[in-house]
Amino acid sequence: MDDDGTRGVRGSSADRVPGPALPPPPTTPPRVPPPAVGPRPAAMPVEQRATRPGSASPAEQPAPGAPVDAWLRTPRPPQEPGVWRYGYTPPPPEEPEGVSNRSLLVGALISLLSALLLWSLWRNGYLPYRLVPLKLFTPGEWWNPGTSGGPRTIEGSDALTVYEAILFGLLAYGCGRIGNFSELFRRHVADRGQPFLALAAAAAAGLTQLLVWKEALPVVRPVLVLVASVAGGEIYQSQTVVNVIYAVIAAAVLYPFARLGCWRELIAGRRGSGTPAPDGTAAAPAAATSADQWPELRAAGWTDAADTLSAEVRTGRMNDVDVARLRHAWALATRRPDRLAPLAEAVLRTGGAAALHPSGHRDLPRRGARHDVLTGQVRIGRCADDPHNPYVRRGTGLALEPALLGTSLLAVGPPGAGKTARLIRPVVEALALRALAGQAAVLAVGGAGAPLGPDDAFDVVVRLGHPGSAHDIDLYGGTTDPDEAAAVLAEGLVGDVGSLDSRRAATVLAQLLGPYRAAHGHFPSVPELRELLDGTHAALAGLRASLEAAGHHAMLRELDARSRQAGGPGDPAPALADRVALLDRPAFTGFFATGPDARPFSLRALGQHPLRVRVDLPERGHAEASRLLTRLLLAQFTAITAARTDTALFACLVLDDATHAVTAETVRGIRRLRSVNAGAVLALRTVDDVPETLHTPLLGAVGCTAAFSGITTWDGKRFAEAWGKEWVETREVAQHTVFADQPFTRALHALRKLVTGKAVTTDAVTVRQVERERWSASELAYAVPAGHAVIRLATVEGEHAPPLLVHLDG
């Protein structure tokens, strides 16, 4: 990053947007980039349902080089929290638990054999009283006397032919229903898709036609009899009429198989894939009101600007970030009517490059996750096909967005579980894209070398302890109020020390920071603050002389109070001095400058500008100092975001390692973030990295929690308690031995026991509703596969989703 030619004057104030000068807008921005393609993990049984019909396809994003207008027109229906909405297709209705394939085939075979036997008995006259129903509705002179007497006249023979056809149809229908042939067809034919479905239907149609015309199936003769009875027998004197009747019969027999085999859809699909639709056809009316035509600009009367943006989208000179940025800029301009005309003029002049981010960037250098910038979602995985997950969520994509991150997120998992690569980096990437669209500000904090993104993906990169860092961090948060600075600094320095009261520590710091600022116009640097906390005579005497010369009597009283309290029992000054000494190291020389020429980066800029900031901490050589700085940044972030008046920007702090960074005050601050359009993402190796007294408050303060594979049962117990219980239906089966009283029955039971080796028993099934934990501690510790996590989500509006087992592919 450009440091404006000043070395040792790192960063910027809150009123100045850091970063390089604005470059000229590029003429051909990249299109929507494809998702990263990497090696897929080995298939696991838990993911077998991920590609079931009705669930979203794995692509779920425009293909490489896909036009932005197609991406813009893709539907994004409102869904439950965490559902990947881009191109979402609802799953089919849940099917009841069906019978096994073996039972289905055996049942169909038995039904078919029974129907054949019954039809054979009917045709051969072995069923008594088979003609009685027919004789009740026909004249008696048509039949021979007796219940078994056959037809006497031609009319009786024709009636018997139609009667047999009707009975055959009823027998076939009953056989199909009893044998569940529809389920057999769906499971073994329809589910295999085309072209197998069409070929199987064609083969069945050919066999049926052969049986019909061989008169093995009573179809042709009954139809001819019915036509003759209606139109008269003279109609068959014309061969043309006979051919037409035969053609109608053949078509009627063929039609059901054409419907079952979806021949029409198959032919239409083949024709559609072979001959693309010409331009300007039926798709034109739909495009006239689609999202890529910018209807909000047209409704406001800015037709020229809408036409310009539509042309930019159509020609591929805009990407998804441009669309989101201009939509957001237009929404802000509608609140200030005086900004509408300048924005429209900028669109007419520069097209998709209007309302650029202060950095001049229109996209990230590269993306590693799948994003939908229009909704702010980033896809981090897919819900597994697991009984713990509701049916409607199995196989659907899981995504995070500002509405969820606004409740803050806590991720717990051992090293190597994938917290950084599969959750933290996709979230930072999504927030960086949203910052380019002018809708968010992100501060990512991690160790030096943590894969949070390349340097050119951020506006400010702070490398604490690195001599080449162009920016610095303001220890006092950019405030000019000594009391406010003392409170935040005390929380960062000794907030994790349970034996010290942070309020007393803040009082001690305020007694020194106030007089020093009154005397010098700025807060002390790290070495000066250490000397004041140590109570060095020269430092205190010099400060007293400066105050006396300037006439700051109130500040002299503050300094006198500090002198009286120094060295007393419970004085927090020595502990504060020891913590400040961690920052007063040679590696940090030149950092944390506070002089009149110093302009360190202040977190207050996050609330005013859509910045992308990354802080690299020297965890390897200065682990304790890194934890202190992490704790200080968290305290500053919660205090600054809670005090800002303009909450239009979503501000988010991402801590790749929040070990020993959470204190009682920051937990209260995290709880307040959701009301000021801000959030925090905290990653921990174990919940024990937080003081035990804060386990329950922390899990209650965050709305989103993620338990990665490999956590301990102790951590699993805390998550299980936080996620609560649910009512489930249980079935208890008890086996009771059957004792027979009759000699013959006892003999049969003895024979059965001799053959099977088991006594004859009967099952007693008890079904009841019980309340159980959604995920038990043992399940979280041992039943979560590698590469998976159990994630519970909630929105700032109060909507929530149950804990879901997710296969992470972020």
Side-chain angles (χ1 to χ4, degrees):
M1 302 295 291
D2 183 19
D3 59 357
D4 299 332
T6 59
R7 184 63 187 95
V9 185
R10 302 185 178 91
S12 72
S13 64
D15 299 329
R16 175 177 170 271
V17 181
L22 295 180
T27 57
T28 57
R31 297 187 180 184
V32 181
V37 179
R40 294 180 62 86
M44 302 183 65
V46 75
E47 288 296 316
Q48 289 177 355
R49 193 174 173 171
T51 58
R52 74 180 193 277
S55 62
S57 62
E60 291 178 329
Q61 184 164 319
V68 180
D69 54 352
W71 167 83
L72 194 56
R73 289 195 302 265
T74 303
R76 297 165 175 85
Q79 293 297 324
E80 296 179 359
V83 175
W84 175 250
R85 294 166 50 192
Y86 179 83
Y88 173 80
T89 303
E94 185 175 7
E95 301 175 357
E97 186 175 351
V99 297
S100 62
N101 289 332
R102 179 179 178 180
S103 300
L104 190 64
L105 291 173
V106 171
L109 181 60
I110 292 176
S111 176
L112 180 60
L113 293 178
S114 301
L116 291 177
L117 176 61
L118 187 61
W119 182 246
S120 177
L121 294 175
W122 167 270
R123 293 295 300 268
N124 293 309
Y126 289 107
L127 296 180
Y129 310 107
R130 64 190 185 95
L131 299 181
V132 172
L134 180 60
K135 291 181 179 181
L136 292 176
F137 295 96
T138 55
E141 60 269 15
W142 288 6
W143 309 98
N144 292 319
T147 57
S148 301
R152 177 189 300 176
T153 62
I154 297 177
E155 289 82 358
S157 179
D158 292 343
L160 180 59
T161 300
V162 176
Y163 179 58
E164 289 183 345
I166 295 174
L167 290 179
F168 179 81
L170 295 176
L171 181 62
Y173 176 78
C175 174
R177 291 296 302 271
I178 296 175
N180 205 0
F181 278 85
S182 60
E183 176 65 17
L184 185 67
F185 174 80
R186 184 195 64 80
R187 188 179 299 184
H188 296 282
V189 180
D191 285 353
R192 300 184 65 173
Q194 300 288 10
F196 180 82
L197 175 61
L199 294 177
L207 178 61
T208 305
Q209 290 281 7
L210 178 63
L211 296 177
V212 166
W213 296 111
K214 289 293 184 180
E215 297 190 0
L217 300 179
V219 176
V220 178
R221 288 178 57 84
V223 172
L224 295 178
V225 169
L226 290 175
V227 172
S229 64
V230 174
E234 297 81 4
I235 193 174
Y236 294 120
Q237 295 180 0
S238 173
Q239 186 62 35
T240 302
V241 173
V242 174
N243 294 337
V244 169
I245 294 175
Y246 285 163
V248 171
I249 294 174
V253 173
L254 192 64
Y255 177 75
F257 297 97
R259 291 289 302 272
L260 289 175
C262 300
W263 294 353
R264 182 177 181 181
E265 291 80 358
L266 180 62
I267 295 173
R270 294 296 177 88
R271 289 180 177 177
S273 61
T275 57
D279 295 335
T281 55
T289 57
S290 60
D292 62 323
Q293 296 296 316
W294 303 86
E296 60 272 15
L297 273 71
R298 299 182 187 277
W302 300 95
T303 307
D304 295 340
D307 292 339
T308 300
L309 294 180
S310 299
E312 293 269 305
V313 170
R314 187 172 57 254
T315 56
R317 301 184 72 245
M318 288 180 64
N319 60 11
D320 54 349
V321 179
D322 295 331
V323 174
R325 186 186 68 251
L326 289 174
R327 279 175 170 264
H328 178 68
W330 181 262
L332 293 179
T334 54
R335 304 173 188 173
R336 298 278 300 273
D338 56 318
R339 297 182 180 180
L340 290 177
L343 178 59
E345 294 176 0
V347 169
L348 293 175
R349 184 174 63 256
T350 60
L356 273 180
H357 185 264
S359 66
H361 298 160
R362 301 174 65 177
D363 201 352
L364 296 179
R366 55 183 176 273
R367 303 186 189 181
R370 285 183 284 222
H371 301 271
D372 185 21
V373 188
L374 202 60
T375 59
Q377 287 190 319
V378 54
R379 187 182 181 279
I380 63 172
R382 182 182 296 277
C383 297
D385 183 10
D386 187 87
H388 288 92
N389 292 344
Y391 172 80
V392 295
R393 299 300 298 268
R394 299 175 190 174
T396 60
L398 188 81
L400 296 176
E401 56 184 310
L404 299 172
L405 298 178
T407 63
S408 299
L409 186 149
L410 176 66
V412 179
K419 299 188 301 297
T420 301
R422 301 184 179 186
L423 179 64
I424 299 299
R425 175 159 182 174
V427 168
V428 173
E429 199 172 85
L431 293 172
L433 287 172
R434 202 160 181 84
L436 290 178
Q439 305 175 42
V442 56
L443 172 62
V445 182
L452 299 180
D455 293 352
D456 48 0
F458 296 91
D459 303 313
V460 176
V461 177
V462 182
R463 295 184 178 90
L464 293 175
H466 193 283
S469 178
H471 296 88
D472 194 2
I473 287 292
D474 187 357
L475 290 180
Y476 304 99
T479 183
T480 58
D481 184 359
D483 293 327
E484 181 181 351
V488 175
L489 186 58
E491 196 66 31
L493 292 176
V494 295
D496 61 327
V497 181
S499 59
L500 286 180
D501 186 359
S502 59
R503 290 174 295 183
R504 291 193 61 187
T507 302
V508 171
L509 288 172
Q511 290 172 345
L512 296 174
L513 296 181
Y516 190 95
R517 178 171 179 80
H520 300 281
H522 59 82
F523 290 120
S525 63
V526 169
E528 294 168 335
L529 180 60
R530 180 183 180 184
E531 292 180 353
L532 292 175
L533 290 172
D534 283 335
T536 305
H537 177 73
L540 293 177
L543 180 58
R544 183 181 300 276
S546 300
L547 292 174
E548 291 175 351
H552 295 290
H553 301 290
M555 292 303 170
L556 281 172
R557 289 195 299 270
E558 286 285 294
L559 192 60
D560 291 339
R562 171 85 287 270
S563 300
R564 290 192 302 270
Q565 297 171 3
D571 183 19
L576 291 170
D578 291 341
R579 290 299 179 89
V580 173
L582 296 174
L583 303 180
D584 190 17
R585 305 296 302 164
F588 300 118
T589 301
F591 287 85
F592 314 121
T594 59
D597 297 330
R599 292 183 300 171
F601 174 74
S602 172
L603 266 63
R604 292 186 180 274
L606 292 175
Q608 303 176 13
H609 309 289
L611 292 177
R612 303 166 294 165
V613 184
R614 192 189 78 201
V615 178
D616 295 344
L617 301 175
E619 289 185 344
R620 294 184 179 179
H622 304 273
E624 194 63 31
S626 298
R627 294 175 182 175
L628 187 153
L629 291 171
T630 302
R631 191 163 53 249
L632 178 62
L633 291 174
L634 177 59
Q636 287 186 0
F637 180 82
T638 55
I640 291 173
T641 53
R644 62 176 181 164
T645 56
D646 185 5
T647 60
L649 281 177
F650 175 74
C652 188
L653 170 67
V654 181
L655 298 181
D656 185 47
D657 185 5
T659 302
H660 300 294
V662 179
T663 64
E665 183 61 31
T666 53
V667 168
R668 287 189 287 268
I670 290 173
R671 189 179 290 111
R672 293 191 297 265
L673 291 179
R674 66 178 64 192
S675 62
V676 291
N677 195 23
V681 179
L682 312 177
L684 294 172
R685 295 181 177 88
T686 174
V687 181
D688 289 331
D689 289 338
V690 177
E692 186 176 358
T693 56
L694 297 179
H695 290 173
T696 301
L698 177 60
L699 289 173
V702 297
C704 303
T705 49
F708 283 71
S709 61
I711 65 173
T712 63
T713 53
W714 291 274
D715 288 344
K717 179 181 179 181
R718 298 181 181 96
F719 280 108
E721 293 175 351
W723 292 339
K725 299 180 180 181
E726 63 179 345
W727 289 97
V728 296
E729 183 181 280
T730 61
R731 297 171 59 90
E732 297 180 357
V733 181
Q735 292 185 342
H736 304 283
T737 303
V738 178
F739 297 96
D741 297 330
Q742 301 300 324
F744 181 73
T745 307
R746 286 200 298 269
L748 290 179
H749 287 185
L751 178 62
R752 180 176 175 180
K753 183 176 181 180
L754 181 63
V755 173
T756 62
K758 298 180 180 180
V760 179
T761 60
T762 183
D763 294 341
V765 181
T766 303
V767 180
R768 59 179 179 176
Q769 296 283 337
V770 298
E771 193 177 21
R772 288 185 177 176
E773 294 176 333
R774 300 178 184 271
W775 281 84
S776 67
S778 298
E779 288 175 331
L780 289 173
Y782 302 109
V784 179
H788 290 66
V790 181
I791 301 177
R792 188 257 186 187
L793 301 175
T795 66
V796 292
E797 290 83 9
E799 299 182 40
H800 59 86
L804 302 171
L805 178 62
V806 181
H807 176 217
L808 300 171
D809 55 6

